[in-house]
Amino acid sequence: MNALHPDHTLDPRPVTPQWVTDAVFYQIFPDRFARSGRVRGLNLQEWGDTPHFNRYMGGDLWGVAAKLDYIQSLGVNAIYFCPVFQSASNHRYHTHDYYQVDPMLGGNEALRHLIDEAHARGMRVVLDGVFNHASRGFFQFNDLLEQGEASAYRDWFHVDGWPLHPYDDARPANYAAWWGNRALPKFNTDNRAVRAFLWDVAEHWIRFGVDGWRLDVPNEIDDDSFWQEFRRRVKAINPDAYIVGEIWGDAHRWLQGDQFDAVMNYHFTRPCLAFFGAHTLDHPMNERSGTGRVDAMDAAAFVQRMTEVTRMYHPDVVRVQLNLLDSHDTARFLTAVGGDHSAFRLATVFQMTYVGTPCIYYGDEVGLPGGPDPDCRRAFPWDEGAWNQETLALTRKLTAARHATPALQRGDFHVTHAQGEQLVYARRHASGAAFVGLNAGREDAHLPFTGVTPGDYRDVITGRTVHLTGDTPLSVPARGAMVLVPLGL
């Protein structure tokens, strides 16, 4: 029986990409990461201005490619992009053309260059697929607006009556849209032509060289057969392609090995806010954010929940779950915990030493704050004087240790102590074990490292050598951590 999931009897095992287990992801909101200056003649906000729902900062894919040295220095070896296809919105979830990268981002040429540069460095690239809905500017929907009932694409959408009213909120839209948002007409995925179109989009970009898809609101396409065929086609081209869905709740339905490899693990996010940010949680902020209200947890409750999360799905799925502290859909973790940098650093230690695949939201590693959308989508601050160097240095130490230590990537998760605000756990692997102590309290504490494998270890945080016996109490500073990996790693 697998220690990660001793009660799981699913057979056959889901097949998930091995490279994802060893990955550290970096999520980029393209308009806000880096501006190359190659795309000109645009009406843009000043870089770093307050984000606005309808305005552009002008980040582009050429800019991302120019910053790959920085991204790689973080220990990142996979990038997940929010949508890049042509769209009349800064977030690009309103797709106009699924076969064209937005000209503001540099077009298909820029994506080609970026993928080639990333792959040359051993880095993967995952795109955001918005297949539940299109936009008012999507050609086939625009044909409905022009031709009405005579449109050749009438059955591509869910039309309730005529005429359509895509902009007049005083009258019924007469078509289905995502959460009633007229800007996002919902595809009729029962239509064979629509299904073929969307599957072809998925195949096209995998052939182009993309390494996987993050799927936007895939639960809204309430049709297992659609996603089963989606997976079959994608995996036929690249068996190692990563398919990760945006599912906020229970995802068993999609994680049986025939649809998605994993989901965005918001079951990881909320407990991290609750435990590491227990002293400083900004409740009104979280209630306005995608995470919703979060109540404080002590170590025992946190461990109970995180152990449940490790057992929630098949072990092969758990190992490739996308573990995130925040995203473009939530307030940034730092802001959600009232600006407490120590809470974010503790959560980052846990994220990089827990089971699953860590995902850094761009800018978190330098202390970028941000409330709910659109504030969580601020421009990256390229002035290094504005960076939180302590957080950045810690991030780099942790990612390096994760890449060098099989136990941190693939080891089983065993908690040995959870009391008050203190937590100790082991990641055990055939190649050796790693041990982690977290002190979320406001005073220094001696944590019991019990049941450890005796020997010499390196503390990733301080670089010191630590000798462990079978039962070793070790001093961990207030709001601090100790990450012990076998000496030499």
Side-chain angles (χ1 to χ4, degrees):
M1 257 179 211
N2 191 295
L4 282 180
H5 207 326
D7 300 321
H8 212 297
T9 59
L10 181 63
D11 184 33
R13 289 151 56 101
V15 177
T16 54
Q18 288 295 309
W19 66 265
V20 180
T21 304
D22 302 327
V24 173
F25 269 85
Y26 194 68
Q27 181 189 352
I28 291 178
F29 190 86
D31 185 62
R32 307 290 161 76
F33 185 66
R35 186 194 289 176
S36 70
R38 294 181 58 158
V39 183
R40 300 177 181 177
L42 302 173
N43 174 31
L44 302 175
Q45 286 186 272
E46 288 295 319
W47 193 259
D49 273 1
T50 301
H52 190 280
F53 281 113
N54 300 114
R55 298 201 65 190
Y56 299 88
M57 295 278 187
D60 57 60
L61 299 185
W62 297 114
V64 176
K67 299 296 184 181
L68 284 176
D69 283 347
Y70 168 76
I71 296 170
Q72 194 167 31
S73 80
L74 301 175
V76 166
N77 56 5
I79 303 173
Y80 145 45
F81 285 97
C82 287
V84 300
F85 302 133
Q86 184 173 306
S87 173
S89 61
N90 57 41
H91 52 73
R92 297 182 171 86
Y93 283 93
H94 299 45
T95 312
H96 279 197
D97 189 335
Y98 286 84
Y99 293 98
Q100 295 295 324
V101 172
D102 198 305
M104 289 179 60
L105 297 179
N108 291 4
E109 181 188 3
L111 181 60
R112 173 78 280 150
H113 173 72
L114 175 61
I115 290 175
D116 290 346
E117 289 293 308
H119 285 176
R121 298 164 182 260
M123 302 170 75
R124 315 271 182 152
V125 175
V126 172
L127 297 187
D128 204 323
V130 186
F131 300 129
N132 173 69
H133 48 263
S135 69
R136 289 176 292 214
F138 179 63
F139 173 79
Q140 287 83 344
F141 187 77
N142 199 252
D143 194 79
L144 261 72
L145 301 185
E146 295 292 334
Q147 309 302 336
E149 284 191 77
S151 170
Y153 302 102
R154 182 183 61 185
D155 296 330
W156 276 49
F157 302 93
H158 300 272
V159 176
D160 301 321
W162 303 95
L164 306 185
H165 299 293
Y167 294 99
D168 185 354
D169 290 343
R171 296 199 275 183
N174 283 335
Y175 59 92
W178 182 74
W179 283 52
N181 184 342
R182 295 170 196 245
L184 301 172
K186 180 176 171 57
F187 279 118
N188 175 13
T189 50
D190 290 333
N191 181 293
R192 289 183 181 180
V194 171
R195 294 163 81 88
F197 172 82
L198 295 174
W199 292 332
D200 186 72
V201 170
E203 291 175 301
H204 172 82
W205 292 107
I206 295 295
R207 290 193 186 97
F208 190 86
V210 167
D211 298 292
W213 287 104
R214 178 267 188 185
L215 301 173
D216 184 59
V217 296
N219 56 304
E220 307 255 350
I221 299 179
D222 188 14
D223 180 353
D224 292 350
S225 68
F226 177 88
W227 294 119
Q228 287 162 349
E229 181 65 10
F230 180 97
R231 179 187 180 90
R232 189 192 69 75
R233 292 185 182 221
V234 166
K235 298 284 187 176
I237 299 167
N238 181 3
D240 274 342
Y242 181 44
I243 303 174
V244 56
E246 181 203 9
I247 303 291
W248 292 65
D250 181 85
H252 278 89
R253 169 181 172 182
W254 297 277
L255 297 176
Q256 300 299 310
D258 62 346
Q259 297 183 60
F260 310 158
D261 295 313
V263 296
M264 299 179 76
N265 199 4
Y266 287 105
H267 289 296
F268 170 89
T269 310
R270 293 185 184 94
C272 286
L273 286 166
F275 178 55
F276 300 114
H279 293 289
T280 56
L281 280 168
D282 186 333
H283 290 299
M285 177 71 67
N286 285 305
E287 286 166 6
R288 297 197 309 274
S289 177
T291 48
R293 181 174 176 84
V294 175
D295 292 316
M297 285 181 169
D298 64 8
F302 177 72
V303 162
Q304 179 180 353
R305 180 56 182 155
M306 297 316 297
T307 301
E308 290 171 355
V309 171
T310 66
R311 298 177 177 178
M312 191 170 288
Y313 307 113
H314 191 287
D316 291 351
V317 171
V318 171
R319 290 191 186 97
V320 298
Q321 286 282 79
L322 198 64
N323 292 340
L324 61 162
L325 294 174
D326 48 18
S327 75
H328 64 293
D329 283 327
T330 72
R332 287 185 180 266
F333 190 99
L334 179 62
T335 300
V337 296
D340 183 354
H341 289 273
S342 70
F344 178 77
R345 286 192 283 269
L346 282 167
T348 299
V349 172
F350 186 73
Q351 179 189 37
M352 295 297 169
T353 59
Y354 181 68
V355 184
T357 302
C359 182
I360 302 166
Y361 185 39
Y362 80 98
D364 279 357
E365 75 279 5
V366 298
L368 184 63
D373 176 20
D375 194 42
C376 57
R377 304 170 180 184
R378 297 187 189 187
F380 190 98
W382 287 108
D383 174 7
E384 295 187 26
W387 293 1
N388 187 304
Q389 296 292 342
E390 184 179 353
T391 299
L392 178 60
L394 176 66
T395 300
R396 288 172 166 156
K397 289 177 181 179
L398 291 167
T399 57
R402 185 176 180 91
H403 288 309
T405 311
L408 292 179
Q409 295 174 318
R410 298 169 179 272
D412 294 338
F413 177 75
H414 299 274
V415 176
T416 59
H417 175 77
Q419 185 173 346
E421 295 180 295
Q422 283 79 46
L423 172 63
V424 182
Y425 55 94
R427 297 291 310 277
R428 298 188 185 277
H429 187 264
S431 66
F435 303 95
V436 182
L438 297 168
N439 177 14
R442 293 178 168 176
E443 296 181 359
D444 296 354
H446 281 80
L447 303 189
F449 282 73
T450 58
V452 300
T453 306
D456 290 329
Y457 292 79
R458 178 177 66 90
D459 179 10
V460 171
I461 310 296
T462 64
R464 292 188 300 111
T465 298
V466 177
H467 182 73
L468 293 181
T469 64
D471 187 354
T472 310
L474 296 173
S475 178
V476 178
R479 305 295 288 171
M482 183 175 284
V483 179
L484 303 178
V485 299
L487 200 62
L489 296 179

